């Protein structure tokens, strides 16, 4: 395989004392935590769109990131080279998975037929690169938001011809995801939302979105695609109001439309914070409702109100996240996909390595710390003890639905004032800091 990233070698684990910026300090794929290897726990994936199609463009200026391998050749040749570089990167970094949108790997043609043909060509190459390197597809998806035809939405577009176009694109994207052995398929509602209710029939749009997802489920069954379907919540951006607002809104939508058994969620850290939730709130909601399938690992910025998609480096975030993932039984088909982009000034291929190494080390530390918290059981013991009353006689009667307001009135009259107890937040936060070091 021709090397494009010539000066960059395979990234190895050198331990916490290493000063080599191109080495892992904590991520050691074969090291075990709670009886399972780090690689199996974390299931890292590189996302193709930000890492290999990202240019650093922002509303004030065009791209700053110019990749040498894309220069001086036509767009299909550039696409082929980019895919090859990506697999070289995955291998050197030592991740086992990748993720892509249809239009990331194959530039859109003049017609749908031509776009499909280009995609087939690139998928054949991807299949070969997957088998040469052993890197697998975590999930695939369709880009239903970039082209101007989707400016008013895809499945929620006021025009059924756009709905049909989007359906055709999802059909094809699902087929190629199956062809590449993808373990999942993500529906992120790119422009499924609205700017103003003055021009929007919200009820109709939501019904159409449900119809669209139903068609996808039917087609999955027809072709025997076994990958996990996931919805990725996001409250805003690009539209002012996105329908898949957060995990709870997606859950309600799935229940209402009888789709709950067919979909789980892909939770993205920066989307959680845009919804004014914490990342771990969204993860816990998903876990509690058996909806947690995969994670888009990134972070936002406290001072910026948009999806900055920065690489995750905050240990509190990774600890909380892994504490929830571990207690939910770990990833099955999902993993940690770095849906994150290097900053506009980080223009070298080397910056892609620093970014991913940092994210992988931050999650490796998060895993080690969370595993210790699970093993010690101190936080769990505190929570159990706080709710211990529910295992008592009256607690059980309430939980099992054996008493109503009348019986509880009699009980409350008899037992008198319950007497509040401290929640001990500061003690618990101090205890967490004993683990994070
Ligand atoms: C954008 C989303 C997107 C999805 C895949 O905000 O995170 O990248 O993950 O379409
Ligand atoms: Ni995402
Ligand atoms: Ni995002």
């Amino acid at each position: 395989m021709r090397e494009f990233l010539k000066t960059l070698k395979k990234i190895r684990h050198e331990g916490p004392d290493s000063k080599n910026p191109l080495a892992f300090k904590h991520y050691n794929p074969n090291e075990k935590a709670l009886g399972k290897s780090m690689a199996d726990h974390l299931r890292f994936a590189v996302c193709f769109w930000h890492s290999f199609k990202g240019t650093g463009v922002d509303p004030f200026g065009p791209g700053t990131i110019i990749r040498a391998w894309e220069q001086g050749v036509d767009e299909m040749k550039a696409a082929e080279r980019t895919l090859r570089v990506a697999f070289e990167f995955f291998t050197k970094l030592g991740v086992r998975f990748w993720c892509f949108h249809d239009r990331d790997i194959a530039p859109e043609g003049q017609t749908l037929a031509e776009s499909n043909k280009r995609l087939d060509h690139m998928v054949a190459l991807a299949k070969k690169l997957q088998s040469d390197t052993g890197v697998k597809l975590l999930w695939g998806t369709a880009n239903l938001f970039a082209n101007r035809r989707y400016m008013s939405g895809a499945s929620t577009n006021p025009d059924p011809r756009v709905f049909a176009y989007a359906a055709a694109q999802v059909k094809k994207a699902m087929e190629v995801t199956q062809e590449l052995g993808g373990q999942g398929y993500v529906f992120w509602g790119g422009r499924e939302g609205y700017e103003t209710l003055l021009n929007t029939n919200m009820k109709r749009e939501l019904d159409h979105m449900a119809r669209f997802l139903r068609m996808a489920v039917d087609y999955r069954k027809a072709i025997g695609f076994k990958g996990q379907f996931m919805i990725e919540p996001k409250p805003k951006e690009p539209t002012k109001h996105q329908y898949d607002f957060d995990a709870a809104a997606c859950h309600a939508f799935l229940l209402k439309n009888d789709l709950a058994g067919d979909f789980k969620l892909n939770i993205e850290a920066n989307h959680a914070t845009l919804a004014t939730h914490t990342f771990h709130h969204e993860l816990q909601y998903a876990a509690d409702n058996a909806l947690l399938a995969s994670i888009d690992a990134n972070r936002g910025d406290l001072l910026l109100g948009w999806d900055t998609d920065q690489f995750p480096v905050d240990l509190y975030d990774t600890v909380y996240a892994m504490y929830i993932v571990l207690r939910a039984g770990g990833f099955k088909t999902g993993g940690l996909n770095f849906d994150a982009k290097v900053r506009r000034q980080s223009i070298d291929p080397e910056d892609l390595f620093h970014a991913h190494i940092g994210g992988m080390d931050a999650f490796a530390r998060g895993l080690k710390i969370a595993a210790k918290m699970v093993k010690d059981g101190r936080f769990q013991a505190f929570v159990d003890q706080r709710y211990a009353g529910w295992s008592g006689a009256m607690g059980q009667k309430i939980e099992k639905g054996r008493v109503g307001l009348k019986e509880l009135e009699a009980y409350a009259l008899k037992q008198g004032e319950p007497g509040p107890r401290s929640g001990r937040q500061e003690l618990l936060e101090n205890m967490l800091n004993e683990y994070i070091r």
Side-chain angles (χ1 to χ4, degrees):
M1 198 157 103
R2 177 175 162 195
E3 273 191 80
F4 288 89
L5 305 166
K6 279 199 195 72
T7 53
L8 298 162
K9 306 247 161 341
K10 176 126 179 78
I11 309 299
R12 309 208 175 271
H13 174 254
E14 292 185 3
D17 296 329
S18 167
K19 294 282 177 285
N20 176 4
L22 291 170
F24 295 116
K25 316 295 183 303
H26 298 276
Y27 180 61
N28 190 6
N30 298 320
E31 187 180 319
K32 295 246 160 89
L34 301 176
K36 200 159 103 179
S37 75
M38 277 195 182
D40 286 338
H41 272 296
L42 298 166
R43 293 169 57 87
F44 289 123
V46 170
C47 90
F48 196 85
W49 52 101
H50 287 318
S51 287
F52 291 95
K53 298 303 289 176
T55 62
V57 58
D58 77 5
F60 302 92
T64 51
I65 299 172
I66 298 162
R67 300 298 185 202
W69 51 83
E70 288 189 302
Q71 308 312 308
V73 288
D74 68 41
E75 56 173 358
M76 282 306 283
K77 189 77 199 151
E80 285 174 18
R81 283 195 183 172
T82 304
L83 197 62
R84 286 183 192 277
V85 177
F87 274 82
E88 186 187 331
F89 179 77
F90 307 155
T91 311
K92 286 186 169 167
L93 189 64
V95 291
R96 303 198 308 198
F97 299 99
W98 69 301
C99 296
F100 73 99
H101 299 82
D102 50 359
R103 301 301 180 244
D104 307 335
I105 60 167
E108 192 152 358
Q110 292 300 314
T111 62
L112 182 60
E114 192 193 349
S115 298
N116 286 347
K117 209 169 138 217
R118 287 174 161 206
L119 187 56
D120 284 335
H121 176 78
M122 295 306 300
V123 165
L125 178 60
K127 202 171 177 185
K128 180 180 180 304
L129 291 167
Q130 285 192 166
S131 98
D132 289 352
T133 59
V135 174
K136 297 189 172 82
L137 180 61
L138 192 68
W139 51 261
T141 186
N143 181 326
L144 305 178
F145 45 88
N147 191 289
R148 71 194 280 273
R149 82 176 70 84
Y150 296 126
M151 68 180 188
S152 311
S155 70
T156 64
N157 199 289
D159 183 347
R161 292 173 307 170
V162 178
F163 183 104
Y165 207 104
Q169 221 181 304
V170 165
K171 172 180 176 286
K172 183 71 183 170
M174 205 195 308
E175 288 164 5
V176 304
T177 299
Q178 182 182 35
E179 169 78 9
L180 292 172
Q183 305 196 7
Y185 186 93
V186 163
F187 293 83
W188 169 59
R191 291 182 195 272
E192 314 294 28
Y194 64 82
E195 301 296 335
T196 171
L197 287 174
L198 293 174
N199 67 11
T200 303
N201 185 334
M202 179 158 66
K203 177 167 189 328
R204 209 160 187 180
E205 292 200 357
L206 279 161
D207 288 346
H208 293 166
M209 192 159 89
R211 167 89 6 241
F212 191 84
L213 296 179
R214 169 61 55 205
M215 289 178 190
V217 170
D218 290 345
Y219 193 66
R220 170 180 64 190
K221 288 182 184 149
I223 64 173
F225 173 54
K226 298 277 181 305
Q228 174 67 52
F229 271 7
M230 289 168 274
I231 294 189
E232 183 177 320
K234 186 174 184 178
K236 58 184 170 191
E237 200 202 296
T239 68
K240 176 172 82 172
H241 183 103
Q242 297 273 127
Y243 293 134
D244 294 330
F245 196 92
D246 60 3
C250 290
H251 190 204
F253 173 85
L254 291 172
L255 289 172
K256 179 187 172 195
N257 295 291
D258 200 19
L259 290 162
D262 292 296
F263 289 83
K264 290 190 194 290
L265 300 177
N266 180 38
I267 301 292
E268 178 164 319
N270 203 166
H271 297 182
T273 52
L274 285 181
T276 59
H277 296 308
T278 58
F279 178 28
H280 43 287
H281 167 89
E282 287 291 85
L283 292 172
Q284 190 67 61
Y285 184 89
D288 288 344
N289 293 286
L291 291 169
L292 180 56
S294 203
I295 289 179
D296 271 4
N298 62 14
R299 76 174 202 276
D301 185 295
L302 186 63
L303 304 181
L304 301 174
W306 65 90
D307 201 13
T308 61
D309 286 335
Q310 286 163 253
F311 275 82
V313 288
D314 184 328
L315 281 187
Y316 285 94
D317 269 353
T318 62
V319 168
Y320 275 123
M322 292 314 298
Y323 187 58
I324 293 165
V325 169
L326 286 177
R327 286 178 308 141
F331 294 120
K332 308 264 172 341
T333 54
L336 288 161
N337 168 45
F338 290 110
D339 191 354
K341 57 188 175 212
V342 291
R343 298 301 87 191
R344 196 164 191 270
Q345 298 175 53
S346 303
I347 56 175
D348 297 332
E350 187 175 321
D351 293 309
L352 285 174
F353 281 92
H354 294 307
H356 285 86
I357 290 168
M360 291 165 77
D361 266 346
F363 268 97
R365 283 178 83 179
L367 167 65
K368 286 194 271 188
I369 292 166
K372 196 155 188 308
M373 287 162 62
V374 170
K375 200 158 156 251
D376 292 356
R378 290 164 77 198
F379 292 93
Q380 191 58 52
F382 183 89
V383 176
D384 289 349
Q385 182 260 327
R386 191 163 182 239
Y387 290 82
W390 291 96
S391 308
M394 185 47 83
Q396 281 300 292
K397 276 188 198 159
I398 298 173
E399 283 194 347
K400 300 215 161 92
R402 299 211 180 107
V403 286
L405 295 186
K406 219 172 124 215
E407 291 79 8
L408 291 180
E409 184 196 39
Y411 176 80
L413 284 169
K414 197 166 135 228
Q415 64 127 23
E417 196 53 41
R421 279 184 302 160
S422 169
R424 297 269 186 267
Q425 182 171 339
E426 295 77 7
L427 176 146
L428 293 164
E429 286 168 349
N430 295 350
M431 198 158 94
L432 183 61
N433 272 357
E434 288 174 30
Y435 286 82
I436 300 187
R437 54 181 161 170

